[in-house]
Coordinates of all heavy atoms in Angstrom, one line a residue:
T161 N 12.9 12.5 41.7 CA 12.7 13.9 41.4 C 11.6 14.4 42.3 O 11.7 15.5 42.9 CB 12.5 14.1 39.9 OG1 13.5 13.7 39.2 CG2 12.3 15.7 39.6
L162 N 10.5 13.7 42.3 CA 9.3 14.1 43.0 C 9.5 14.2 44.5 O 9.1 15.0 45.2 CB 8.1 13.2 42.8 CG 6.7 13.6 43.4 CD1 6.2 14.8 42.9 CD2 5.7 12.5 43.0
A163 N 10.3 13.1 45.0 CA 10.7 13.1 46.4 C 11.7 14.1 46.8 O 11.6 14.6 47.9 CB 11.4 11.7 46.7
A164 N 12.5 14.7 45.9 CA 13.4 15.8 46.2 C 12.8 17.1 46.0 O 13.3 18.1 46.3 CB 14.5 15.6 45.2
K165 N 11.5 17.1 45.6 CA 10.9 18.5 45.3 C 10.5 19.1 46.6 O 10.1 18.5 47.4 CB 9.5 18.2 44.4 CG 8.9 19.5 44.2 CD 7.5 19.1 43.4 CE 6.7 20.4 43.3 NZ 5.3 20.1 42.7
L166 N 10.7 20.4 46.6 CA 10.4 21.2 47.8 C 8.9 21.3 47.9 O 8.2 21.3 46.9 CB 11.1 22.6 47.7 CG 12.7 22.6 47.8 CD1 13.2 24.0 47.8 CD2 13.2 21.8 49.0
N167 N 8.4 21.5 49.1 CA 7.0 21.7 49.4 C 6.7 22.7 50.3 O 7.1 22.8 51.4 CB 6.3 20.4 49.8 CG 4.9 20.4 49.8 OD1 4.3 21.1 49.1 ND2 4.3 19.6 50.7
A168 N 5.9 23.7 49.8 CA 5.5 24.8 50.8 C 4.2 24.6 51.5 O 3.1 24.3 50.9 CB 5.3 26.1 49.9
V169 N 4.4 24.4 52.9 CA 3.1 24.1 53.7 C 2.7 25.4 54.5 O 3.5 26.3 54.7 CB 3.5 22.8 54.5 CG1 3.7 21.7 53.7 CG2 4.6 23.2 55.5
G170 N 1.5 25.3 54.9 CA 1.0 26.5 55.8 C 1.1 27.8 55.0 O 1.3 28.8 55.6
L171 N 0.8 27.7 53.6 CA 1.0 28.9 52.8 C -0.2 29.8 53.1 O -1.5 29.4 53.0 CB 1.0 28.4 51.3 CG 1.0 29.6 50.3 CD1 2.3 30.5 50.5 CD2 0.9 28.9 48.9
S195 N 3.4 34.1 53.4 CA 4.2 33.4 54.4 C 4.1 31.9 54.1 O 2.9 31.5 53.9 CB 3.8 33.8 55.7 OG 4.3 35.2 55.9
F196 N 5.0 31.0 54.4 CA 5.0 29.6 54.3 C 6.1 29.0 54.9 O 7.1 29.7 55.3 CB 4.8 29.2 52.9 CG 5.8 29.6 51.9 CD1 7.0 28.9 51.7 CD2 5.7 30.9 51.3 CE1 7.9 29.4 50.8 CE2 6.8 31.3 50.4 CZ 7.9 30.6 50.3
T197 N 6.1 27.6 55.1 CA 7.2 26.8 55.5 C 7.6 25.8 54.6 O 6.7 25.2 53.9 CB 6.7 26.1 56.9 OG1 6.4 27.1 57.9 CG2 8.0 25.3 57.3
I198 N 8.9 25.8 54.2 CA 9.3 24.9 53.3 C 9.6 23.6 54.2 O 10.3 23.6 55.1 CB 10.6 25.2 52.5 CG1 10.4 26.4 51.7 CG2 11.2 24.2 51.7 CD1 11.5 27.0 50.9
A199 N 8.9 22.5 53.8 CA 8.9 21.3 54.7 C 10.3 20.7 54.6 O 11.1 20.9 53.7 CB 7.9 20.4 54.2
A200 N 10.6 20.0 55.7 CA 11.9 19.2 55.8 C 11.9 18.1 54.6 O 11.0 17.4 54.4 CB 12.1 18.6 57.2
N201 N 13.0 18.0 54.0 CA 13.2 16.8 53.0 C 14.7 16.6 53.0 O 15.5 17.3 52.4 CB 12.7 17.5 51.6 CG 12.6 16.5 50.5 OD1 13.2 15.5 50.6 ND2 11.7 16.7 49.6
I202 N 14.9 15.3 53.4 CA 16.3 14.8 53.4 C 16.9 14.5 52.0 O 18.0 14.2 51.8 CB 16.5 13.6 54.3 CG1 15.7 12.4 53.8 CG2 16.2 13.9 55.6 CD1 15.9 11.2 54.6
T203 N 15.9 14.3 50.9 CA 16.3 13.9 49.6 C 16.5 15.2 48.8 O 17.0 15.1 47.7 CB 15.3 13.0 49.0 OG1 14.1 13.8 48.9 CG2 15.1 11.7 49.6
A204 N 16.0 16.3 49.3 CA 16.3 17.5 48.5 C 17.7 18.0 48.5 O 18.4 17.8 49.4 CB 15.4 18.6 48.9
E205 N 18.2 18.7 47.4 CA 19.4 19.3 47.3 C 19.5 20.4 48.3 O 18.6 21.4 48.2 CB 19.8 19.7 46.0 CG 21.3 20.2 45.8 CD 21.4 20.6 44.3 OE1 20.6 20.3 43.5 OE2 22.5 21.1 44.0
K209 N 18.9 28.8 47.5 CA 17.8 28.6 46.6 C 17.0 29.9 46.4 O 16.9 30.7 47.4 CB 16.8 27.5 47.1 CG 17.5 26.2 47.1 CD 16.5 25.1 47.5 CE 17.2 23.7 47.6 NZ 17.6 23.2 46.3
I211 N 13.6 31.7 45.7 CA 12.1 31.4 45.9 C 11.3 32.6 45.2 O 11.7 33.7 45.3 CB 11.6 31.4 47.4 CG1 12.5 30.5 48.2 CG2 10.2 31.1 47.4 CD1 12.4 29.1 47.8
I246 N 17.1 32.0 49.9 CA 17.3 31.5 51.1 C 18.3 30.5 51.1 O 18.7 29.9 50.1 CB 15.9 31.0 51.7 CG1 15.6 29.7 50.8 CG2 14.8 32.1 51.6 CD1 14.5 29.0 51.2
Y248 N 18.8 26.7 52.4 CA 18.0 25.5 52.7 C 19.1 24.4 53.1 O 19.8 24.0 52.4 CB 17.1 25.1 51.6 CG 16.2 23.9 52.0 CD1 15.1 24.0 52.9 CD2 16.3 22.6 51.4 CE1 14.3 23.0 53.2 CE2 15.5 21.6 51.7 CZ 14.5 21.7 52.7 OH 13.8 20.7 52.9
G250 N 17.7 21.3 54.4 CA 17.0 19.9 54.4 C 15.9 20.0 55.5 O 15.1 19.1 55.6
E251 N 15.9 20.9 56.5 CA 15.0 21.1 57.6 C 14.0 22.1 57.3 O 14.1 22.7 56.2 CB 15.8 21.4 58.8 CG 16.4 22.9 58.8 CD 17.8 23.0 58.2 OE1 18.3 21.9 57.7 OE2 18.2 24.1 58.1
E252 N 13.1 22.1 58.2 CA 12.0 23.0 58.0 C 12.6 24.5 57.9 O 13.3 25.0 58.7 CB 10.8 23.0 59.1 CG 9.9 21.8 58.9 CD 8.8 21.8 60.0 OE1 8.8 22.7 60.9 OE2 8.0 21.0 59.9
T253 N 11.9 25.4 57.0 CA 12.5 26.6 56.8 C 11.3 27.6 56.7 O 10.5 27.4 55.7 CB 13.5 26.8 55.6 OG1 14.6 25.8 55.8 CG2 14.1 28.2 55.5
Q254 N 11.2 28.6 57.4 CA 10.3 29.7 57.3 C 10.5 30.7 56.3 O 11.8 31.2 56.3 CB 9.9 30.4 58.7 CG 9.6 29.4 59.8 CD 8.1 28.8 59.6 OE1 7.3 29.4 59.2 NE2 8.0 27.6 60.0
V255 N 9.7 31.2 55.5 CA 9.9 32.1 54.5 C 8.8 33.0 54.4 O 7.5 32.7 54.5 CB 10.1 31.4 53.0 CG1 10.4 32.5 52.0 CG2 11.1 30.3 53.1
V274 N 3.7 30.1 44.4 CA 5.2 29.9 44.9 C 6.0 28.9 44.1 O 5.5 27.8 43.8 CB 5.2 29.5 46.3 CG1 6.6 29.6 46.9 CG2 4.4 30.6 47.1
Y275 N 7.2 29.3 43.6 CA 8.0 28.4 42.8 C 9.5 28.3 43.4 O 10.0 29.2 44.0 CB 8.2 29.0 41.3 CG 6.8 29.1 40.7 CD1 6.0 30.1 40.8 CD2 6.6 28.0 39.8 CE1 4.8 30.2 40.1 CE2 5.4 28.1 39.0 CZ 4.4 29.2 39.2 OH 3.3 29.1 38.4
A276 N 10.0 27.1 43.2 CA 11.4 26.9 43.6 C 12.0 25.7 42.9 O 11.3 24.8 42.6 CB 11.6 26.6 45.2
D277 N 13.2 25.8 42.4 CA 13.9 24.7 41.7 C 13.2 24.4 40.3 O 13.1 23.2 40.0 CB 14.2 23.5 42.5 CG 15.1 23.8 43.6 OD1 15.9 24.6 43.5 OD2 15.0 23.0 44.7
N279 N 9.9 24.3 39.9 CA 8.6 23.7 40.2 C 7.7 24.7 41.0 O 8.1 25.5 41.8 CB 8.9 22.5 41.2 CG 9.8 21.4 40.4 OD1 9.5 21.0 39.4 ND2 10.8 20.9 41.2
M280 N 6.4 24.4 40.8 CA 5.4 25.2 41.6 C 5.3 24.4 42.9 O 5.0 23.3 43.0 CB 4.0 25.3 41.0 CG 3.0 26.1 41.9 SD 1.3 26.0 41.2 CE 1.5 27.1 39.8
I281 N 5.6 25.0 44.1 CA 5.6 24.3 45.4 C 4.4 24.6 46.2 O 4.3 24.2 47.3 CB 7.0 24.6 46.1 CG1 7.1 26.0 46.4 CG2 8.1 24.0 45.3 CD1 8.4 26.2 47.3
G282 N 3.7 25.7 45.8 CA 2.4 26.0 46.7 C 1.6 27.0 46.0 O 2.0 27.8 44.9
Q283 N 0.4 27.1 46.3 CA -0.6 28.1 45.8 C -1.7 28.4 46.7 O -2.1 27.5 47.4 CB -1.2 27.6 44.4 CG -2.1 28.6 43.8 CD -2.7 28.0 42.4 OE1 -3.3 26.8 42.6 NE2 -2.6 28.6 41.4

Side-chain angles (χ1 to χ4, degrees):
T161 301
L162 184 62
K165 178 183 175 182
L166 298 181
N167 186 28
V169 297
L171 177 59
S195 300
F196 53 89
T197 299
I198 296 181
N201 190 336
I202 61 173
T203 62
E205 184 178 354
K209 296 181 180 294
I211 307 299
I246 66 168
Y248 181 72
E251 68 278 357
E252 286 188 355
T253 305
Q254 300 293 325
V255 182
V274 183
Y275 296 84
D277 295 336
N279 299 305
M280 180 189 286
I281 63 173
Q283 184 182 55

